[in-house]
Amino acid sequence: MTDRFVSNFTNRLDAKGRVSIPSSFRAVLAKDGYEGLYVHPALDLAAFDAGGHALRKTIDDILARFSPFSEEWESLSTALNGTSEVLKIDPEGRIMLSEALKAHTGIVDTVTFVGHGHKFQIWEPQRFQAHLDAAKAKLRDVKRALSSQALSPGGVAGA
Amino acid sequence: MTDRFVSNFTNRLDAKGRVSIPSSFRAVLAKDGYEGLYVHPALDLAAFDAGGHALRKTIDDILARFSPFSEEWESLSTALNGTSEVLKIDPEGRIMLSEALKAHTGIVDTVTFVGHGHKFQIWEPQRFQAHLDAAKAKLRDVKRALSSQALSPGGVAGA
DNA sequence: TGGGTCTTTATGGGCGTCAATGGAATCGAG
DNA sequence: CTCGATTCCATTGACGCCCATAAAGACCCA
């Protein structure tokens, strides 16, 4: 139960710009053992990816698929490594959002944390809602494709 | 007998918004061994799917088909991981329904639990009744198709 | 088979604990 | 000394855990 980021939570920034990481996410991070919170802008989205060692590993794995001299490697590494930050987590489990993070996400005074298994994302609530609606539509398509192959997520139960 | 969710039960929410998971379902969950109750909205139904490891695995399997950081992975994970929740089960076998769950299902003060083998569904009783009627009508069609099909090999299309 | 009892399950409520948040105090670099 | 950052303490409300009760059913026995 405490080894994956799931669900979504919306918390408020206080006057100093601090915001609490949801308790269940903190539990996952504690297990992961990373010092601080590793974050980088999500590719093509107005969100940040966040996590610990598990997230770092997926980044390294992705980069390992390309030759270190290729253009793909260069641009991916720039996006994933070059613009990442490590946010400090205070004793109450709060973080301070950098200006870059707020600018990229459009966050003003409310933050939505979205679980993605090995990582989670940081969104401005309204933008997340829009993104979620789009994702649901996409899931419908994929589900239709998959169900013709006898594997369905939330549809008819097999036996 | 205790490894599949079967039958349906209707229980009431108490003043604190708690509701008892049917005893026979608790027995299945205990066997599954998952900590808490894993739930996510059914895509095209006003219901939630609920279960343990078995349900969780169907989601992981779907995501495993895509590469992390791909657009497909992102949106599927948003819809699946981002809207899943892990509800705590109290010592009496009760859960608290989240606001998201109540909103999606239309549940106010009564809940219907419906067994689906490896998972079960959570419904607002009236809506479930309507859904059941529709399912029965559909079943008649399937039976008719089956009987007029005599004994030829091959499968019957799913829902 | 009928009656009585014990067990289980659903449900209600009290209370302590923790999480989210706010603000004060402390620290450190310039 | 001052500003910003970091840690420490306080508040409030939600939630988890404990115990109580009622109703239903299982079980036992004559």
PDB file of all heavy atoms in Angstrom, chain C residues 17-30:
ATOM      1  P    DT C  17      -3.359   9.901  22.316  1.00  0.00           P
ATOM      2  OP1  DT C  17      -2.372   8.924  22.828  1.00  0.00           O
ATOM      3  OP2  DT C  17      -3.412  11.283  22.849  1.00  0.00           O
ATOM      4  O5'  DT C  17      -3.212   9.982  20.725  1.00  0.00           O
ATOM      5  C5'  DT C  17      -3.549   8.838  19.946  1.00  0.00           C
ATOM      6  C4'  DT C  17      -3.427   9.186  18.472  1.00  0.00           C
ATOM      7  O4'  DT C  17      -4.580   9.961  18.054  1.00  0.00           O
ATOM      8  C3'  DT C  17      -2.194  10.027  18.139  1.00  0.00           C
ATOM      9  O3'  DT C  17      -1.529   9.411  17.050  1.00  0.00           O
ATOM     10  C2'  DT C  17      -2.751  11.398  17.794  1.00  0.00           C
ATOM     11  C1'  DT C  17      -4.147  11.068  17.297  1.00  0.00           C
ATOM     12  N1   DT C  17      -5.162  12.152  17.482  1.00  0.00           N
ATOM     13  C2   DT C  17      -5.972  12.481  16.413  1.00  0.00           C
ATOM     14  O2   DT C  17      -5.900  11.951  15.328  1.00  0.00           O
ATOM     15  N3   DT C  17      -6.884  13.475  16.694  1.00  0.00           N
ATOM     16  C4   DT C  17      -7.065  14.148  17.889  1.00  0.00           C
ATOM     17  O4   DT C  17      -7.909  15.013  18.002  1.00  0.00           O
ATOM     18  C5   DT C  17      -6.172  13.749  18.954  1.00  0.00           C
ATOM     19  C7   DT C  17      -6.284  14.410  20.286  1.00  0.00           C
ATOM     20  C6   DT C  17      -5.279  12.775  18.704  1.00  0.00           C
ATOM     21  P    DC C  18      -0.146   9.978  16.501  1.00  0.00           P
ATOM     22  OP1  DC C  18       0.730   8.818  16.257  1.00  0.00           O
ATOM     23  OP2  DC C  18       0.283  11.085  17.376  1.00  0.00           O
ATOM     24  O5'  DC C  18      -0.551  10.585  15.094  1.00  0.00           O
ATOM     25  C5'  DC C  18      -1.385   9.824  14.225  1.00  0.00           C
ATOM     26  C4'  DC C  18      -1.854  10.686  13.079  1.00  0.00           C
ATOM     27  O4'  DC C  18      -2.841  11.626  13.557  1.00  0.00           O
ATOM     28  C3'  DC C  18      -0.739  11.515  12.439  1.00  0.00           C
ATOM     29  O3'  DC C  18      -0.911  11.475  11.033  1.00  0.00           O
ATOM     30  C2'  DC C  18      -0.982  12.917  12.999  1.00  0.00           C
ATOM     31  C1'  DC C  18      -2.495  12.934  13.126  1.00  0.00           C
ATOM     32  N1   DC C  18      -3.040  13.895  14.138  1.00  0.00           N
ATOM     33  C2   DC C  18      -4.192  14.620  13.829  1.00  0.00           C
ATOM     34  O2   DC C  18      -4.725  14.455  12.730  1.00  0.00           O
ATOM     35  N3   DC C  18      -4.684  15.484  14.752  1.00  0.00           N
ATOM     36  C4   DC C  18      -4.085  15.623  15.920  1.00  0.00           C
ATOM     37  N4   DC C  18      -4.610  16.480  16.801  1.00  0.00           N
ATOM     38  C5   DC C  18      -2.897  14.885  16.259  1.00  0.00           C
ATOM     39  C6   DC C  18      -2.414  14.046  15.340  1.00  0.00           C
ATOM     40  P    DA C  19       0.309  11.948  10.103  1.00  0.00           P
ATOM     41  OP1  DA C  19       0.824  10.770   9.397  1.00  0.00           O
ATOM     42  OP2  DA C  19       1.220  12.792  10.909  1.00  0.00           O
ATOM     43  O5'  DA C  19      -0.448  12.865   9.055  1.00  0.00           O
ATOM     44  C5'  DA C  19      -1.744  12.493   8.606  1.00  0.00           C
ATOM     45  C4'  DA C  19      -2.487  13.713   8.107  1.00  0.00           C
ATOM     46  O4'  DA C  19      -2.948  14.484   9.228  1.00  0.00           O
ATOM     47  C3'  DA C  19      -1.632  14.638   7.244  1.00  0.00           C
ATOM     48  O3'  DA C  19      -2.382  15.048   6.130  1.00  0.00           O
ATOM     49  C2'  DA C  19      -1.310  15.796   8.176  1.00  0.00           C
ATOM     50  C1'  DA C  19      -2.513  15.828   9.106  1.00  0.00           C
ATOM     51  N9   DA C  19      -2.221  16.309  10.458  1.00  0.00           N
ATOM     52  C8   DA C  19      -1.165  15.955  11.247  1.00  0.00           C
ATOM     53  N7   DA C  19      -1.167  16.530  12.426  1.00  0.00           N
ATOM     54  C5   DA C  19      -2.306  17.311  12.409  1.00  0.00           C
ATOM     55  C6   DA C  19      -2.883  18.170  13.370  1.00  0.00           C
ATOM     56  N6   DA C  19      -2.351  18.382  14.579  1.00  0.00           N
ATOM     57  N1   DA C  19      -4.020  18.795  13.038  1.00  0.00           N
ATOM     58  C2   DA C  19      -4.559  18.576  11.829  1.00  0.00           C
ATOM     59  N3   DA C  19      -4.116  17.788  10.835  1.00  0.00           N
ATOM     60  C4   DA C  19      -2.973  17.183  11.201  1.00  0.00           C
ATOM     61  P    DA C  20      -1.702  15.855   4.955  1.00  0.00           P
ATOM     62  OP1  DA C  20      -2.278  15.358   3.695  1.00  0.00           O
ATOM     63  OP2  DA C  20      -0.250  15.855   5.171  1.00  0.00           O
ATOM     64  O5'  DA C  20      -2.249  17.331   5.194  1.00  0.00           O
ATOM     65  C5'  DA C  20      -3.626  17.592   5.040  1.00  0.00           C
ATOM     66  C4'  DA C  20      -3.934  19.002   5.495  1.00  0.00           C
ATOM     67  O4'  DA C  20      -3.633  19.118   6.897  1.00  0.00           O
ATOM     68  C3'  DA C  20      -3.134  20.097   4.779  1.00  0.00           C
ATOM     69  O3'  DA C  20      -4.051  21.073   4.321  1.00  0.00           O
ATOM     70  C2'  DA C  20      -2.190  20.629   5.857  1.00  0.00           C
ATOM     71  C1'  DA C  20      -2.969  20.344   7.131  1.00  0.00           C
ATOM     72  N9   DA C  20      -2.151  20.173   8.339  1.00  0.00           N
ATOM     73  C8   DA C  20      -1.018  19.410   8.479  1.00  0.00           C
ATOM     74  N7   DA C  20      -0.515  19.432   9.691  1.00  0.00           N
ATOM     75  C5   DA C  20      -1.372  20.256  10.398  1.00  0.00           C
ATOM     76  C6   DA C  20      -1.396  20.678  11.738  1.00  0.00           C
ATOM     77  N6   DA C  20      -0.482  20.310  12.641  1.00  0.00           N
ATOM     78  N1   DA C  20      -2.399  21.499  12.118  1.00  0.00           N
ATOM     79  C2   DA C  20      -3.316  21.866  11.212  1.00  0.00           C
ATOM     80  N3   DA C  20      -3.403  21.531   9.924  1.00  0.00           N
ATOM     81  C4   DA C  20      -2.395  20.721   9.581  1.00  0.00           C
ATOM     82  P    DT C  21      -3.573  22.317   3.437  1.00  0.00           P
ATOM     83  OP1  DT C  21      -4.713  22.755   2.617  1.00  0.00           O
ATOM     84  OP2  DT C  21      -2.277  21.975   2.825  1.00  0.00           O
ATOM     85  O5'  DT C  21      -3.313  23.452   4.524  1.00  0.00           O
ATOM     86  C5'  DT C  21      -4.398  23.893   5.330  1.00  0.00           C
ATOM     87  C4'  DT C  21      -3.891  24.775   6.434  1.00  0.00           C
ATOM     88  O4'  DT C  21      -3.081  24.013   7.349  1.00  0.00           O
ATOM     89  C3'  DT C  21      -3.006  25.949   5.983  1.00  0.00           C
ATOM     90  O3'  DT C  21      -3.773  27.126   6.073  1.00  0.00           O
ATOM     91  C2'  DT C  21      -1.832  25.931   6.976  1.00  0.00           C
ATOM     92  C1'  DT C  21      -2.294  24.950   8.040  1.00  0.00           C
ATOM     93  N1   DT C  21      -1.222  24.205   8.738  1.00  0.00           N
ATOM     94  C2   DT C  21      -1.115  24.367  10.102  1.00  0.00           C
ATOM     95  O2   DT C  21      -1.857  25.085  10.744  1.00  0.00           O
ATOM     96  N3   DT C  21      -0.105  23.640  10.686  1.00  0.00           N
ATOM     97  C4   DT C  21       0.790  22.796  10.056  1.00  0.00           C
ATOM     98  O4   DT C  21       1.644  22.198  10.695  1.00  0.00           O
ATOM     99  C5   DT C  21       0.616  22.669   8.628  1.00  0.00           C
ATOM    100  C7   DT C  21       1.535  21.785   7.855  1.00  0.00           C
ATOM    101  C6   DT C  21      -0.363  23.379   8.049  1.00  0.00           C
ATOM    102  P    DG C  22      -3.151  28.555   5.690  1.00  0.00           P
ATOM    103  OP1  DG C  22      -4.262  29.369   5.156  1.00  0.00           O
ATOM    104  OP2  DG C  22      -1.931  28.358   4.890  1.00  0.00           O
ATOM    105  O5'  DG C  22      -2.722  29.151   7.100  1.00  0.00           O
ATOM    106  C5'  DG C  22      -3.664  29.164   8.151  1.00  0.00           C
ATOM    107  C4'  DG C  22      -3.035  29.765   9.397  1.00  0.00           C
ATOM    108  O4'  DG C  22      -2.184  28.765  10.029  1.00  0.00           O
ATOM    109  C3'  DG C  22      -2.138  30.973   9.126  1.00  0.00           C
ATOM    110  O3'  DG C  22      -2.470  32.009  10.032  1.00  0.00           O
ATOM    111  C2'  DG C  22      -0.730  30.454   9.343  1.00  0.00           C
ATOM    112  C1'  DG C  22      -0.935  29.333  10.346  1.00  0.00           C
ATOM    113  N9   DG C  22       0.063  28.281  10.252  1.00  0.00           N
ATOM    114  C8   DG C  22       0.430  27.591   9.131  1.00  0.00           C
ATOM    115  N7   DG C  22       1.356  26.690   9.341  1.00  0.00           N
ATOM    116  C5   DG C  22       1.621  26.796  10.699  1.00  0.00           C
ATOM    117  C6   DG C  22       2.531  26.080  11.514  1.00  0.00           C
ATOM    118  O6   DG C  22       3.316  25.194  11.187  1.00  0.00           O
ATOM    119  N1   DG C  22       2.470  26.508  12.845  1.00  0.00           N
ATOM    120  C2   DG C  22       1.642  27.494  13.327  1.00  0.00           C
ATOM    121  N2   DG C  22       1.724  27.765  14.629  1.00  0.00           N
ATOM    122  N3   DG C  22       0.789  28.170  12.566  1.00  0.00           N
ATOM    123  C4   DG C  22       0.826  27.769  11.278  1.00  0.00           C
ATOM    124  P    DG C  23      -1.828  33.471   9.903  1.00  0.00           P
ATOM    125  OP1  DG C  23      -2.871  34.422  10.316  1.00  0.00           O
ATOM    126  OP2  DG C  23      -1.191  33.590   8.580  1.00  0.00           O
ATOM    127  O5'  DG C  23      -0.681  33.479  11.008  1.00  0.00           O
ATOM    128  C5'  DG C  23      -1.022  33.160  12.346  1.00  0.00           C
ATOM    129  C4'  DG C  23       0.227  32.961  13.172  1.00  0.00           C
ATOM    130  O4'  DG C  23       0.882  31.732  12.767  1.00  0.00           O
ATOM    131  C3'  DG C  23       1.276  34.070  13.028  1.00  0.00           C
ATOM    132  O3'  DG C  23       1.769  34.409  14.309  1.00  0.00           O
ATOM    133  C2'  DG C  23       2.359  33.410  12.187  1.00  0.00           C
ATOM    134  C1'  DG C  23       2.264  31.991  12.715  1.00  0.00           C
ATOM    135  N9   DG C  23       2.904  30.997  11.881  1.00  0.00           N
ATOM    136  C8   DG C  23       2.736  30.803  10.529  1.00  0.00           C
ATOM    137  N7   DG C  23       3.453  29.819  10.058  1.00  0.00           N
ATOM    138  C5   DG C  23       4.139  29.334  11.164  1.00  0.00           C
ATOM    139  C6   DG C  23       5.069  28.271  11.274  1.00  0.00           C
ATOM    140  O6   DG C  23       5.495  27.532  10.389  1.00  0.00           O
ATOM    141  N1   DG C  23       5.518  28.118  12.586  1.00  0.00           N
ATOM    142  C2   DG C  23       5.118  28.893  13.654  1.00  0.00           C
ATOM    143  N2   DG C  23       5.649  28.596  14.840  1.00  0.00           N
ATOM    144  N3   DG C  23       4.252  29.878  13.557  1.00  0.00           N
ATOM    145  C4   DG C  23       3.801  30.045  12.291  1.00  0.00           C
ATOM    146  P    DA C  24       2.611  35.782  14.463  1.00  0.00           P
ATOM    147  OP1  DA C  24       1.706  36.812  14.994  1.00  0.00           O
ATOM    148  OP2  DA C  24       3.375  36.029  13.226  1.00  0.00           O
ATOM    149  O5'  DA C  24       3.661  35.384  15.590  1.00  0.00           O
ATOM    150  C5'  DA C  24       3.274  34.481  16.633  1.00  0.00           C
ATOM    151  C4'  DA C  24       4.501  33.715  17.101  1.00  0.00           C
ATOM    152  O4'  DA C  24       4.867  32.748  16.082  1.00  0.00           O
ATOM    153  C3'  DA C  24       5.726  34.599  17.323  1.00  0.00           C
ATOM    154  O3'  DA C  24       6.384  34.188  18.516  1.00  0.00           O
ATOM    155  C2'  DA C  24       6.582  34.349  16.096  1.00  0.00           C
ATOM    156  C1'  DA C  24       6.243  32.901  15.776  1.00  0.00           C
ATOM    157  N9   DA C  24       6.406  32.543  14.369  1.00  0.00           N
ATOM    158  C8   DA C  24       5.833  33.140  13.280  1.00  0.00           C
ATOM    159  N7   DA C  24       6.159  32.595  12.136  1.00  0.00           N
ATOM    160  C5   DA C  24       7.020  31.563  12.495  1.00  0.00           C
ATOM    161  C6   DA C  24       7.713  30.590  11.728  1.00  0.00           C
ATOM    162  N6   DA C  24       7.652  30.530  10.409  1.00  0.00           N
ATOM    163  N1   DA C  24       8.478  29.717  12.402  1.00  0.00           N
ATOM    164  C2   DA C  24       8.538  29.796  13.743  1.00  0.00           C
ATOM    165  N3   DA C  24       7.927  30.645  14.562  1.00  0.00           N
ATOM    166  C4   DA C  24       7.172  31.519  13.865  1.00  0.00           C
ATOM    167  P    DA C  25       7.600  35.059  19.094  1.00  0.00           P
ATOM    168  OP1  DA C  25       7.401  35.161  20.555  1.00  0.00           O
ATOM    169  OP2  DA C  25       7.756  36.290  18.271  1.00  0.00           O
ATOM    170  O5'  DA C  25       8.852  34.113  18.821  1.00  0.00           O
ATOM    171  C5'  DA C  25       8.811  32.764  19.288  1.00  0.00           C
ATOM    172  C4'  DA C  25      10.011  32.021  18.748  1.00  0.00           C
ATOM    173  O4'  DA C  25       9.842  31.816  17.323  1.00  0.00           O
ATOM    174  C3'  DA C  25      11.344  32.772  18.925  1.00  0.00           C
ATOM    175  O3'  DA C  25      12.327  31.849  19.359  1.00  0.00           O
ATOM    176  C2'  DA C  25      11.633  33.293  17.531  1.00  0.00           C
ATOM    177  C1'  DA C  25      11.029  32.194  16.662  1.00  0.00           C
ATOM    178  N9   DA C  25      10.655  32.609  15.312  1.00  0.00           N
ATOM    179  C8   DA C  25       9.904  33.680  14.943  1.00  0.00           C
ATOM    180  N7   DA C  25       9.725  33.802  13.645  1.00  0.00           N
ATOM    181  C5   DA C  25      10.419  32.723  13.133  1.00  0.00           C
ATOM    182  C6   DA C  25      10.613  32.266  11.817  1.00  0.00           C
ATOM    183  N6   DA C  25      10.107  32.881  10.747  1.00  0.00           N
ATOM    184  N1   DA C  25      11.348  31.142  11.641  1.00  0.00           N
ATOM    185  C2   DA C  25      11.854  30.524  12.725  1.00  0.00           C
ATOM    186  N3   DA C  25      11.728  30.854  13.999  1.00  0.00           N
ATOM    187  C4   DA C  25      10.989  31.973  14.139  1.00  0.00           C
ATOM    188  P    DT C  26      13.768  32.394  19.839  1.00  0.00           P
ATOM    189  OP1  DT C  26      14.027  31.782  21.150  1.00  0.00           O
ATOM    190  OP2  DT C  26      13.802  33.871  19.644  1.00  0.00           O
ATOM    191  O5'  DT C  26      14.752  31.733  18.770  1.00  0.00           O
ATOM    192  C5'  DT C  26      14.539  30.372  18.358  1.00  0.00           C
ATOM    193  C4'  DT C  26      15.299  30.124  17.072  1.00  0.00           C
ATOM    194  O4'  DT C  26      14.599  30.735  15.966  1.00  0.00           O
ATOM    195  C3'  DT C  26      16.718  30.711  17.066  1.00  0.00           C
ATOM    196  O3'  DT C  26      17.631  29.676  16.742  1.00  0.00           O
ATOM    197  C2'  DT C  26      16.661  31.798  15.979  1.00  0.00           C
ATOM    198  C1'  DT C  26      15.551  31.262  15.084  1.00  0.00           C
ATOM    199  N1   DT C  26      14.869  32.280  14.253  1.00  0.00           N
ATOM    200  C2   DT C  26      14.849  32.099  12.884  1.00  0.00           C
ATOM    201  O2   DT C  26      15.367  31.155  12.327  1.00  0.00           O
ATOM    202  N3   DT C  26      14.187  33.090  12.197  1.00  0.00           N
ATOM    203  C4   DT C  26      13.559  34.202  12.733  1.00  0.00           C
ATOM    204  O4   DT C  26      12.998  35.023  12.020  1.00  0.00           O
ATOM    205  C5   DT C  26      13.630  34.329  14.166  1.00  0.00           C
ATOM    206  C7   DT C  26      12.988  35.501  14.839  1.00  0.00           C
ATOM    207  C6   DT C  26      14.272  33.366  14.859  1.00  0.00           C
ATOM    208  P    DC C  27      19.201  29.860  16.979  1.00  0.00           P
ATOM    209  OP1  DC C  27      19.696  28.687  17.704  1.00  0.00           O
ATOM    210  OP2  DC C  27      19.450  31.230  17.485  1.00  0.00           O
ATOM    211  O5'  DC C  27      19.737  29.783  15.478  1.00  0.00           O
ATOM    212  C5'  DC C  27      19.232  28.776  14.600  1.00  0.00           C
ATOM    213  C4'  DC C  27      19.529  29.168  13.167  1.00  0.00           C
ATOM    214  O4'  DC C  27      18.597  30.190  12.739  1.00  0.00           O
ATOM    215  C3'  DC C  27      20.938  29.724  12.948  1.00  0.00           C
ATOM    216  O3'  DC C  27      21.590  28.945  11.979  1.00  0.00           O
ATOM    217  C2'  DC C  27      20.701  31.173  12.511  1.00  0.00           C
ATOM    218  C1'  DC C  27      19.296  31.089  11.900  1.00  0.00           C
ATOM    219  N1   DC C  27      18.539  32.366  11.881  1.00  0.00           N
ATOM    220  C2   DC C  27      18.043  32.856  10.663  1.00  0.00           C
ATOM    221  O2   DC C  27      18.261  32.227   9.631  1.00  0.00           O
ATOM    222  N3   DC C  27      17.334  34.018  10.661  1.00  0.00           N
ATOM    223  C4   DC C  27      17.117  34.668  11.804  1.00  0.00           C
ATOM    224  N4   DC C  27      16.407  35.801  11.748  1.00  0.00           N
ATOM    225  C5   DC C  27      17.611  34.191  13.056  1.00  0.00           C
ATOM    226  C6   DC C  27      18.307  33.045  13.050  1.00  0.00           C
ATOM    227  P    DG C  28      23.169  29.100  11.789  1.00  0.00           P
ATOM    228  OP1  DG C  28      23.748  27.740  11.710  1.00  0.00           O
ATOM    229  OP2  DG C  28      23.654  30.080  12.792  1.00  0.00           O
ATOM    230  O5'  DG C  28      23.277  29.780  10.358  1.00  0.00           O
ATOM    231  C5'  DG C  28      22.376  29.424   9.320  1.00  0.00           C
ATOM    232  C4'  DG C  28      22.603  30.355   8.138  1.00  0.00           C
ATOM    233  O4'  DG C  28      21.694  31.482   8.228  1.00  0.00           O
ATOM    234  C3'  DG C  28      24.018  30.949   8.076  1.00  0.00           C
ATOM    235  O3'  DG C  28      24.405  31.044   6.724  1.00  0.00           O
ATOM    236  C2'  DG C  28      23.829  32.322   8.712  1.00  0.00           C
ATOM    237  C1'  DG C  28      22.434  32.690   8.222  1.00  0.00           C
ATOM    238  N9   DG C  28      21.732  33.648   9.063  1.00  0.00           N
ATOM    239  C8   DG C  28      21.807  33.763  10.437  1.00  0.00           C
ATOM    240  N7   DG C  28      21.053  34.716  10.918  1.00  0.00           N
ATOM    241  C5   DG C  28      20.452  35.264   9.800  1.00  0.00           C
ATOM    242  C6   DG C  28      19.517  36.342   9.695  1.00  0.00           C
ATOM    243  O6   DG C  28      19.036  37.030  10.597  1.00  0.00           O
ATOM    244  N1   DG C  28      19.159  36.570   8.364  1.00  0.00           N
ATOM    245  C2   DG C  28      19.638  35.873   7.281  1.00  0.00           C
ATOM    246  N2   DG C  28      19.189  36.241   6.088  1.00  0.00           N
ATOM    247  N3   DG C  28      20.498  34.869   7.367  1.00  0.00           N
ATOM    248  C4   DG C  28      20.857  34.624   8.649  1.00  0.00           C
ATOM    249  P    DA C  29      25.941  31.108   6.349  1.00  0.00           P
ATOM    250  OP1  DA C  29      26.379  29.772   5.902  1.00  0.00           O
ATOM    251  OP2  DA C  29      26.663  31.799   7.445  1.00  0.00           O
ATOM    252  O5'  DA C  29      25.888  32.069   5.093  1.00  0.00           O
ATOM    253  C5'  DA C  29      24.881  31.855   4.099  1.00  0.00           C
ATOM    254  C4'  DA C  29      24.511  33.172   3.452  1.00  0.00           C
ATOM    255  O4'  DA C  29      23.737  33.962   4.387  1.00  0.00           O
ATOM    256  C3'  DA C  29      25.717  34.023   3.053  1.00  0.00           C
ATOM    257  O3'  DA C  29      25.528  34.551   1.755  1.00  0.00           O
ATOM    258  C2'  DA C  29      25.762  35.113   4.115  1.00  0.00           C
ATOM    259  C1'  DA C  29      24.287  35.257   4.471  1.00  0.00           C
ATOM    260  N9   DA C  29      24.058  35.746   5.827  1.00  0.00           N
ATOM    261  C8   DA C  29      24.643  35.304   6.980  1.00  0.00           C
ATOM    262  N7   DA C  29      24.235  35.930   8.055  1.00  0.00           N
ATOM    263  C5   DA C  29      23.324  36.852   7.580  1.00  0.00           C
ATOM    264  C6   DA C  29      22.528  37.822   8.221  1.00  0.00           C
ATOM    265  N6   DA C  29      22.539  38.025   9.539  1.00  0.00           N
ATOM    266  N1   DA C  29      21.710  38.575   7.446  1.00  0.00           N
ATOM    267  C2   DA C  29      21.697  38.360   6.125  1.00  0.00           C
ATOM    268  N3   DA C  29      22.409  37.481   5.410  1.00  0.00           N
ATOM    269  C4   DA C  29      23.199  36.750   6.208  1.00  0.00           C
ATOM    270  P    DG C  30      26.764  35.120   0.988  1.00  0.00           P
ATOM    271  OP1  DG C  30      26.702  34.627  -0.402  1.00  0.00           O
ATOM    272  OP2  DG C  30      27.972  34.909   1.823  1.00  0.00           O
ATOM    273  O5'  DG C  30      26.445  36.669   0.978  1.00  0.00           O
ATOM    274  C5'  DG C  30      25.257  37.138   0.343  1.00  0.00           C
ATOM    275  C4'  DG C  30      25.006  38.566   0.808  1.00  0.00           C
ATOM    276  O4'  DG C  30      24.675  38.560   2.203  1.00  0.00           O
ATOM    277  C3'  DG C  30      26.229  39.454   0.647  1.00  0.00           C
ATOM    278  O3'  DG C  30      25.965  40.458  -0.331  1.00  0.00           O
ATOM    279  C2'  DG C  30      26.406  40.145   2.007  1.00  0.00           C
ATOM    280  C1'  DG C  30      25.179  39.729   2.795  1.00  0.00           C
ATOM    281  N9   DG C  30      25.476  39.412   4.197  1.00  0.00           N
ATOM    282  C8   DG C  30      26.363  38.474   4.662  1.00  0.00           C
ATOM    283  N7   DG C  30      26.420  38.407   5.962  1.00  0.00           N
ATOM    284  C5   DG C  30      25.524  39.378   6.384  1.00  0.00           C
ATOM    285  C6   DG C  30      25.153  39.762   7.693  1.00  0.00           C
ATOM    286  O6   DG C  30      25.578  39.325   8.771  1.00  0.00           O
ATOM    287  N1   DG C  30      24.198  40.784   7.657  1.00  0.00           N
ATOM    288  C2   DG C  30      23.667  41.348   6.529  1.00  0.00           C
ATOM    289  N2   DG C  30      22.764  42.305   6.709  1.00  0.00           N
ATOM    290  N3   DG C  30      23.999  40.977   5.295  1.00  0.00           N
ATOM    291  C4   DG C  30      24.928  39.995   5.307  1.00  0.00           C
TER     292       DG C  30
END
